[in-house]
Amino acid sequence: MSTAIVTGSGGLIGSESVQYLVESGFDVVGLENDMRARFFGREASTAHTTERLIKSLEDSFRCHEVDIRDQDGVLKIFAEHARSLELVIHTAAQPSHDWAASDPQTDFGVNANGTLNLLEAAQS
C-alpha cells in the first residue's frame, strides 16, 4: 500500500487531506504537535480533530507527535516509510502575520526551518 505523510494533520486542511487520502486508498502518517494551541490558545487546539481521525480511520491513519523543526524526528519518520512513501502534503505552519511579529524566531523556525527539514527528509 502507498503511504502519504501529512504534516499539520490535525488542522483544517491537513485533516481534510488525511480523510481524502485514506478514502483514496493511502496509508496515511500524520505529523502533528498541536502548536496551534500554543499560537492561539487552548480553544484553537487540534487535539480533538486528531483524536477523531485516529478513531474513525483506525488502521489507515496513525499520527506521530513530532515538531517539524525536529530534524532527527522528521528524518526518522521519513526513513521508516521510505519504501512505500508516495506523497507528502505539508500543511504545518504558523499562519498569522500578527503572531509572527510577536515571536519571529518561532515563526521562522516553523515555517522556514521546518519546511527545509521536510524537503531534506523527502530527498533522502
Side-chain angles (χ1 to χ4, degrees):
M1 180 180 288
S2 296
T3 300
I5 292 177
V6 178
T7 69
S9 59
L12 177 63
I13 295 174
S15 64
E16 290 295 322
S17 297
V18 167
Q19 188 73 45
Y20 176 80
L21 291 168
V22 167
E23 290 170 1
S24 298
F26 282 87
D27 181 34
V28 181
V29 176
L31 306 184
E32 176 62 62
N33 67 346
D34 200 10
M35 282 288 284
R36 190 163 177 79
R38 177 175 167 209
F39 296 146
F40 306 115
R42 197 173 115 133
E43 63 278 355
S45 174
T46 59
H48 63 282
T49 301
T50 299
E51 290 171 19
R52 177 183 54 80
L53 290 171
I54 290 169
K55 287 178 184 174
S56 68
L57 302 176
E58 297 179 3
D59 297 331
S60 298
F61 174 68
R62 64 195 161 289
C63 190
H64 296 277
E65 187 174 331
V66 66
D67 189 319
I68 61 171
R69 296 173 292 176
D70 174 5
Q71 184 178 31
D72 291 338
V74 169
L75 285 169
K76 181 180 175 184
I77 292 166
F78 272 69
E80 183 180 325
H81 300 284
R83 290 181 183 231
S84 62
L85 185 60
E86 187 173 317
L87 176 69
V88 177
I89 297 180
H90 177 36
T91 68
Q94 189 299 104
S96 169
H97 296 294
D98 293 337
W99 193 97
S102 70
D103 189 348
Q105 290 292 329
T106 299
D107 178 75
F108 189 85
V110 171
N111 291 342
N113 297 116
T115 300
L116 180 59
N117 288 340
L118 294 166
L119 290 169
E120 288 180 333
Q123 78 176 7
S124 295

